[in-house]
Amino acid sequence: MKKWMLLVGMMTIGSLKAQLPIFIGNSNEPEPISINYGLLPDLGGTEIQNYGLNLSFAKPIKKGVLGARLGYQLFSFDFNSSTNLVNLSTFEDIHSINTGVFYLRPLKNNWRMVVSVGTTLTSNFGDGISEEDFVFNAILGFTKRWGEDNRFSNLLVGAFYGTQFGEPIVFPAVSFSQQLNEHWSYSLGIPVTGLTYRVNAKHSVAILASPQGIFGNNSNEIAVEGNATLKNTKLQFNGINTRLSYRYLFTKNLAFVGEVGFVPNPTLQILDDENEEIFDFDPESGAYFNLGLRFVLQRPKQNNSK
């Protein structure tokens, strides 16, 4: 049982939904397989569609848990904007492949150490693959859980490195969550802030907010204003996704997730090969929709009253 609980903790916290893809669910149970379709229909002239598949696996080894993750997303952009500065057509399809490994090790006083390292390949694949298409990502964190099965608390402190806020940066991982009773739970901080109400074993609703970011490389050589040409330009998008999420458990291991929300004051820019702005789409706030399927592992009951 103890090793199984470590596996659950690792898949839920350590993988952090495959390094925080653009859409994040509202389940406390580990989800080793998830499929998503998302839509931002109008950000002041730009539509973004997202198709995603995420896989994760974890196995107890000696005193810890070792796991791996693999995710693929296609971001499809429909630009109604036009500009003489740069050809936008080569930025319309951005592919993102995320791979990595994670490790969790128990420490004293019910603390656990979380380490995750990996790489994300995000590109239009226009002219092959180069080092410019890859971004390193990492997590170093410490978690502590205390309480009983239907009334417990989780604390996460540490740091991330990745593109969750657009251009790759280091940012803090600070989150406190509580399961108040069999119906209510909440989380405050990064990566997810939200309030969840579990109606019964099959139905739950949540109000959530989390960062979403894209930093995709354009490997095509493109013409910019004047006679200049550039290669390895970047498409950067970032915003805070606020949403209402509904989750329905079809069977013991299969769930549907539907979400509707709002992205306030997003950023959408094209950058040159030195990450300096070439063109700003000046996007407006816009609505957001998401549909998904999850393969769910039920979380075993436990009593951690330490």
Side-chain angles (χ1 to χ4, degrees):
M1 178 67 73
K2 184 176 179 181
K3 287 186 177 182
W4 170 248
M5 287 311 304
L6 286 173
L7 182 150
V8 170
M10 186 65 250
M11 294 183 70
T12 304
I13 300 173
S15 64
L16 289 170
K17 306 295 184 182
Q19 286 285 321
L20 296 182
I22 195 169
F23 304 122
I24 299 174
N26 64 332
S27 171
N28 284 324
E29 290 87 12
E31 298 169 353
I33 303 174
S34 65
I35 302 171
N36 286 297
Y37 168 75
L39 174 65
L40 288 160
D42 187 9
L43 296 178
T46 300
E47 177 184 286
I48 307 175
Q49 295 187 71
N50 168 253
Y51 306 84
L53 170 65
N54 292 293
L55 308 173
S56 61
F57 168 79
K59 179 179 178 61
I61 56 167
K62 296 183 179 180
K63 294 184 178 181
V65 173
L66 180 66
R69 64 177 187 274
L70 174 64
Y72 169 76
Q73 294 188 81
L74 169 63
F75 300 98
S76 180
F77 291 82
D78 184 2
F79 302 112
N80 292 325
S81 303
S82 61
T83 175
N84 294 324
L85 293 174
V86 64
N87 179 8
L88 298 179
S89 63
T90 55
F91 294 93
E92 291 178 348
D93 290 324
I94 302 294
H95 305 265
S96 181
I97 301 173
N98 181 285
T99 61
V101 296
F102 48 86
Y103 177 70
L104 182 145
R105 183 179 178 86
L107 306 174
K108 295 181 179 179
N109 298 320
N110 211 32
W111 282 91
R112 293 168 185 165
M113 179 182 69
V114 178
V115 179
S116 176
V117 294
T119 186
T120 302
L121 189 163
T122 307
S123 174
N124 70 336
F125 296 139
D127 189 22
I129 298 175
S130 73
E131 63 181 14
E132 291 289 334
D133 296 314
F134 292 88
V135 174
F136 175 75
N137 51 68
I139 299 170
L140 174 61
F142 298 89
T143 71
K144 182 178 177 68
R145 171 174 167 148
W146 63 95
E148 299 179 353
D149 185 66
N150 287 326
R151 188 177 177 85
F152 61 86
S153 301
N154 272 310
L155 176 66
L156 166 67
V157 293
F160 292 76
Y161 179 80
T163 59
Q164 287 80 6
F165 291 92
E167 187 175 346
I169 59 170
V170 176
F171 57 97
V174 181
S175 178
F176 177 75
S177 61
Q178 278 192 317
Q179 181 77 40
L180 299 175
N181 51 48
E182 63 178 299
H183 295 293
W184 289 98
S185 62
Y186 71 89
S187 177
L188 298 173
I190 299 173
V192 180
T193 292
L195 176 67
T196 299
Y197 177 68
R198 186 181 184 189
V199 181
N200 52 42
K202 290 186 174 294
H203 302 273
S204 64
V205 293
I207 300 174
L208 304 166
S210 58
Q212 52 177 290
I214 305 169
F215 191 71
N217 185 56
N218 184 346
S219 58
N220 288 100
E221 188 175 82
I222 62 172
V224 295
E225 187 179 26
N227 297 319
T229 59
L230 288 175
K231 194 172 182 178
N232 294 318
T233 51
K234 303 295 191 296
L235 179 68
Q236 176 181 294
F237 170 81
N238 62 279
I240 300 298
N241 181 6
T242 60
R243 61 208 183 272
L244 176 65
S245 178
Y246 167 71
R247 182 173 180 266
Y248 173 68
L249 194 65
F250 286 105
T251 67
K252 181 179 179 181
N253 298 113
L254 184 63
F256 163 80
V257 174
E259 298 179 330
V260 58
F262 187 71
V263 179
N265 301 316
T267 298
L268 181 61
Q269 298 176 326
I270 293 177
L271 311 178
D272 65 16
D273 53 355
E274 295 183 354
N275 294 342
E276 297 294 331
E277 179 187 320
I278 299 175
F279 178 68
D280 190 340
F281 290 88
D282 194 22
E284 299 174 358
S285 303
Y288 152 74
F289 305 94
N290 181 56
L291 299 173
L293 290 175
R294 311 279 194 268
F295 179 76
V296 179
L297 295 181
Q298 298 296 315
R299 181 170 56 86
K301 295 183 181 296
Q302 68 169 352
N303 189 328
N304 282 338
S305 56
K306 296 181 182 180

